[in-house]
Amino acid sequence: MLFLKICSIDWVRGWDFNMKIYNIGSANVDYVYQVPHFVMPGETLSAASMQVFPGGKGLNQSVALGKAGAQVIHSSLVGEADGWLIEMLREAHVDTAHTQTVSAPSGHAIIQVDEKGQNCILLFAGANHCFTAALFEQTLANAEAGDILLVQNEINGLAELFEIAHRKGLQIALNPSPFAENLRALPLQYVTYWILNETEGKGFTGLDKPEEILEALYSRYPDSNVILTLGKDGAYFQNAKQRLYVPAMTVKAVDTTAAGDTFTGYFLAMIAKGCSVGDAMQTATKAAAITVAREGAAVSIPWHYEVI
């Protein structure tokens, strides 16, 4: 009981985490438009408001990791005019020594949020596609076997990154978002943690039902851990030892943009601490519930004391 209490309740800076988490990923400027419904083909639609937020799945997930208290080292490339994105990471206690500005424009996203809090997103890669193998090697130079590398599908060079991480003995956590065919060509047998939603799960398996997606992914990669998030319908965990289901909390959704990123960051932070899978799932679910009740992406992610 004491161990569970420490994992789920007690929080102080300076936790003695068992491993470091390296997140090599995107950092974007998000332009968020409040709309009555998503724009239809040929339609011109007036937005009720427009706001600018820091975003990108890489940045969002590092903010969640940092706010959860993890030891996270983040690597992103941002445009010279967007150093404020780096400050956002630092404010969340993220190590940004390997995040730098470049001459290319930052990646950005055009996000529509409808009256039900659902969103649709148009991405421009920008500087997120300026990574090189040399930058990957530099970022992971001090990584130790057993540390976690977290990646998404918003940067270039993933195949090279996977090989470097595997050679160093890192655990790879893959959030295959946004889903695209390039993901199939990666050495996916290296993945330790799959963290994906129903859409991404269907992209890999061609299946619709959550239980079928879990079974299909696990049968292909039996040495991995599969976390399937279902939004308001909760989340599943599957590995060789167990299958767990955790229901979502009931909240009024305002903006679901960073819900999955919050879940990913909090889940991995709790795993890095040494918490049980069940405890990590519960904590991540609570954190995501707070996020969807707020506007914006990274700015909506709660601190651990708020989750408590």
Side-chain angles (χ1 to χ4, degrees), residues 62-100:
S62 279
V63 167
L65 285 161
K67 288 186 172 182
Q71 183 180 356
V72 54
I73 298 93
H74 182 91
S75 177
S76 274
L77 301 174
V78 301
E80 294 172 346
D82 296 316
W84 61 280
L85 295 174
I86 302 175
E87 288 303 313
M88 174 75 185
L89 288 162
R90 290 172 179 162
E91 289 172 2
H93 304 297
V94 174
D95 183 337
T96 61
H98 296 285
T99 295
Q100 56 187 280

Side-chain angles (χ1 to χ4, degrees), residues 257-277:
T257 304
D261 297 332
T262 302
F263 186 99
T264 296
Y266 265 83
F267 176 82
L268 290 176
M270 297 303 104
I271 292 297
K273 171 60 184 169
C275 296
S276 69
V277 167

Side-chain angles (χ1 to χ4, degrees), residues 5 62 80 93 99 105 114 141 147-148 150 178 218 258 273 297 300:
K5 178 177 183 293
S62 279
E80 294 172 346
H93 304 297
T99 295
D114 69 12
D147 287 342
I148 296 174
L150 171 59
Y218 172 69
K273 171 60 184 169
S300 70

Side-chain angles (χ1 to χ4, degrees), residues 18-267:
N18 298 324
M19 61 195 74
K20 301 184 295 295
I21 301 177
Y22 290 83
N23 186 5
I24 302 179
S26 58
N28 289 339
V29 180
D30 285 351
Y31 300 92
V32 181
Y33 298 84
Q34 298 290 333
V35 294
H37 60 265
F38 299 148
V39 178
M40 302 294 291
E43 180 183 20
T44 299
L45 183 66
S46 295
S49 66
M50 190 278 282
Q51 295 173 287
V52 180
F53 295 106
K57 299 194 74 63
L59 181 145
N60 293 344
Q61 290 173 18
S62 279
V63 167
L65 285 161
K67 288 186 172 182
Q71 183 180 356
V72 54
I73 298 93
H74 182 91
S75 177
S76 274
L77 301 174
V78 301
E80 294 172 346
D82 296 316
W84 61 280
L85 295 174
I86 302 175
E87 288 303 313
M88 174 75 185
L89 288 162
R90 290 172 179 162
E91 289 172 2
H93 304 297
V94 174
D95 183 337
T96 61
H98 296 285
T99 295
Q100 56 187 280
T101 57
V102 294
S103 58
S106 295
H108 67 256
I110 304 299
I111 303 173
Q112 300 177 58
V113 180
D114 69 12
E115 293 176 343
K116 297 179 181 179
Q118 298 300 307
N119 67 77
C120 64
I121 303 173
L122 176 66
L123 285 174
F124 170 69
N128 295 320
H129 278 197
C130 293
F131 280 94
T132 64
L135 285 173
F136 296 149
E137 293 276 10
Q138 181 182 4
T139 300
L140 297 176
N142 295 322
E144 299 174 316
D147 287 342
I148 296 174
L149 171 67
L150 171 59
V151 290
Q152 311 82 30
N153 194 30
E154 291 184 345
I155 67 169
N156 65 303
L158 287 180
E160 292 173 297
L161 180 55
F162 270 50
E163 294 293 347
I164 294 168
H166 180 67
R167 188 172 67 246
K168 294 181 71 69
L170 304 185
Q171 301 183 79
I172 297 176
L174 173 63
N175 175 221
S177 179
F179 177 80
E181 289 300 315
N182 70 298
L183 291 165
R184 298 186 188 277
L186 297 178
L188 298 173
Q189 69 274 16
Y190 297 163
V191 175
T192 307
Y193 292 99
W194 290 79
I195 307 176
L196 70 173
N197 62 25
E198 285 178 282
T199 300
E200 294 142 11
K202 182 177 181 179
F204 277 109
T205 67
L207 301 170
D208 292 300
K209 295 182 179 179
E211 294 84 354
E212 293 177 346
I213 293 171
L214 280 172
E215 191 61 36
L217 281 173
Y218 172 69
S219 64
R220 293 179 194 176
Y221 308 104
D223 295 327
S224 67
N225 303 275
V226 181
I227 300 94
L228 182 65
T229 60
L230 308 173
K232 63 182 177 59
D233 294 322
Y236 279 100
F237 174 90
Q238 171 83 53
N239 69 5
K241 296 180 179 179
Q242 60 182 325
R243 175 181 288 185
L244 293 176
Y245 170 75
V246 176
M249 301 189 72
T250 302
V251 296
K252 178 176 174 55
V254 174
D255 184 352
T256 62
T257 304
D261 297 332
T262 302
F263 186 99
T264 296
Y266 265 83
F267 176 82

